[in-house]
Amino acid sequence: MLVTTEKNTDKRTQMPICSSSSSSSSSSTKSWILHGLAVGAAVAVALGAHAYLGRSGKFRSRVIGIIPARFASTRFQGKPLVQILGKPMIQRTWERAKLAETLDQVVVATDDEKIAECCRGFGAEVIMTSESCRNGTERCNEALQKLDKKYDIVVNIQGDEPLIEPEIIDGIVKALQAAPDAVFSTAVTSLKPEDAFDPNRVKCVVDNRGYAIYFSRGLIPYNKSGKVNPQFPYLLHLGIQSYDTKFLKIYPELTPTPLQLEEDLEQLKVLENGYKMKVIKVDHEAHGVDTPEDVEKIEQFMRERNMA
């Protein structure tokens, strides 16, 4: 079960990040993903997915990971270049993405030369995109059009998730490959009570078959008491999503929708237009960077776990 978007930066000294997760966290994440994929596969077969997957596993087999990055963000300008324990955040994210087994290629898509120069410096392939892109999805689409190779799936990897686990990337790719009725896939994890009313932490609700119903910056579901129910399994959307490339090409042509504009969440345009979105649940301690204050938190988290 799952969700995502692009972001910003203000004054902040650069400090890099490294990524690594404990073996217990990794194995727990794998077990969650395997469970989600098993459920998804069962549903897909019921929908006739075997007609696709039986072709030597070729359905949606060509996969690229794109990390959209912009400098002129409203909440945190220059965020991709902020240092996390000695490395630019964009580098931390790229290094984690390169470990995913399902990705044939990983590129950074940006409209800023400072970000491009930084990324080329640590070895990343960079695709320059226009400043007119309204969100990460449109930036991914423009980058895709500029590539020589053809791909079936694009994974939009949020540049502000420097500790993203490669297993999560692989999980959403496999979920989309196993659900031919879906055009989009994403991931969710358990929401911490202290994040319940934080508008930067996007919440998600899903149906019994693992498809997204809604995403919101507010707490969902919201009960009569107006308080967090400690017994309810609220879901937090993680900043990663994958798309079928045929759908990605038409996404920019879709008119912005009321819910999308009100919540400022691009994935709502997908749902409001009647498309299906597959969600997997993973065991992941989310550490996205939305504000300058989050940098200090993630560095402390990494120090405590000896993640250099």
Side-chain angles (χ1 to χ4, degrees):
M1 307 59 202
L2 24 178
V3 187
T4 10
T5 53
E6 260 193 29
K7 312 173 189 171
N8 318 28
T9 328
D10 40 64
K11 293 184 180 177
R12 179 78 203 171
T13 46
Q14 297 186 359
M15 303 175 127
I17 359 177
C18 207
S19 41
S20 176
S21 14
S22 66
S23 56
S24 60
S25 172
S26 180
S27 62
S28 180
T29 295
K30 289 177 182 175
S31 64
W32 270 111
I33 291 174
L34 289 173
H35 172 71
L37 290 175
V39 173
V43 172
V45 168
L47 293 169
H50 59 281
Y52 295 95
L53 300 176
R55 300 175 187 171
S56 304
K58 301 266 183 180
F59 182 59
R60 290 175 173 164
S61 63
R62 299 167 298 180
V63 186
I64 184 172
I66 300 179
I67 304 172
R70 59 175 177 161
F71 191 90
S73 177
T74 53
R75 285 179 291 174
F76 192 169
Q77 189 173 20
K79 180 168 61 172
L81 300 181
V82 68
Q83 295 282 317
I84 298 180
L85 295 184
K87 289 183 182 179
M89 180 163 62
I90 189 76
Q91 181 176 353
R92 295 274 181 191
T93 303
W94 178 81
E95 289 175 346
R96 298 297 285 172
K98 292 284 285 183
L99 298 175
E101 296 178 355
T102 54
L103 300 183
D104 299 311
Q105 184 178 6
V106 178
V107 302
V108 174
T110 185
D111 59 3
D112 185 85
E113 193 53 49
K114 293 184 292 293
I115 294 175
E117 183 179 356
C118 172
C119 293
R120 293 186 187 108
F122 59 74
E125 181 178 352
V126 177
I127 304 294
M128 297 304 296
T129 55
S130 65
E131 294 181 2
S132 63
C133 295
R134 293 169 292 185
N135 51 50
T137 303
E138 291 191 8
R139 199 173 302 284
C140 284
N141 178 56
E142 183 178 331
L144 181 67
Q145 308 313 313
K146 294 184 175 183
L147 291 167
D148 294 329
K149 293 183 181 178
K150 301 299 180 183
Y151 292 94
D152 304 307
I153 291 177
V154 171
V155 183
N156 178 346
I157 302 166
Q158 294 299 102
D160 55 13
E161 285 278 352
L163 299 184
I164 187 68
E165 295 177 56
E167 294 86 356
I168 294 177
I169 296 174
D170 292 334
I172 66 167
V173 169
K174 292 174 182 176
L176 191 56
Q177 289 171 332
D181 60 332
V183 297
F184 190 117
S185 67
T186 189
V188 292
T189 192
S190 298
L191 177 72
K192 295 178 181 178
E194 60 266 32
D195 291 333
F197 298 105
D198 184 347
N200 292 319
R201 300 292 185 250
V202 177
K203 295 79 177 177
C204 176
V205 286
V206 302
D207 66 19
N208 291 334
R209 297 166 61 210
Y211 290 88
I213 297 174
Y214 193 66
F215 295 95
S216 180
R217 294 185 181 278
L219 182 64
I220 51 173
Y222 191 79
N223 60 48
K224 289 182 179 179
S225 72
K227 299 178 182 178
V228 175
N229 177 0
Q231 306 305 316
F232 191 86
Y234 299 101
L235 298 175
L236 171 69
H237 181 222
L238 299 180
I240 184 168
Q241 47 208 23
S242 72
Y243 328 91
D244 180 283
T245 55
K246 294 184 181 67
F247 169 74
L248 184 58
K249 289 175 183 176
I250 67 170
Y251 176 87
E253 311 302 321
L254 298 175
T255 303
T257 55
L259 296 176
Q260 173 204 1
L261 295 174
E262 182 63 21
E263 295 263 17
D264 190 21
L265 295 173
E266 61 191 90
Q267 57 270 34
L268 290 178
K269 183 165 77 166
V270 180
L271 298 180
E272 284 185 88
N273 277 283
Y275 293 98
K276 288 192 173 184
M277 186 182 304
K278 190 68 178 175
V279 178
I280 62 168
K281 183 177 182 184
V282 299
D283 184 16
H284 174 70
E285 193 157 357
H287 292 282
V289 177
D290 298 293
T291 66
E293 293 71 31
D294 290 332
V295 175
E296 191 173 330
K297 293 177 184 177
I298 199 170
E299 288 183 331
Q300 182 61 31
F301 176 86
M302 293 173 68
R303 288 192 191 97
E304 291 172 356
R305 291 157 180 78
N306 296 316
M307 300 165 71

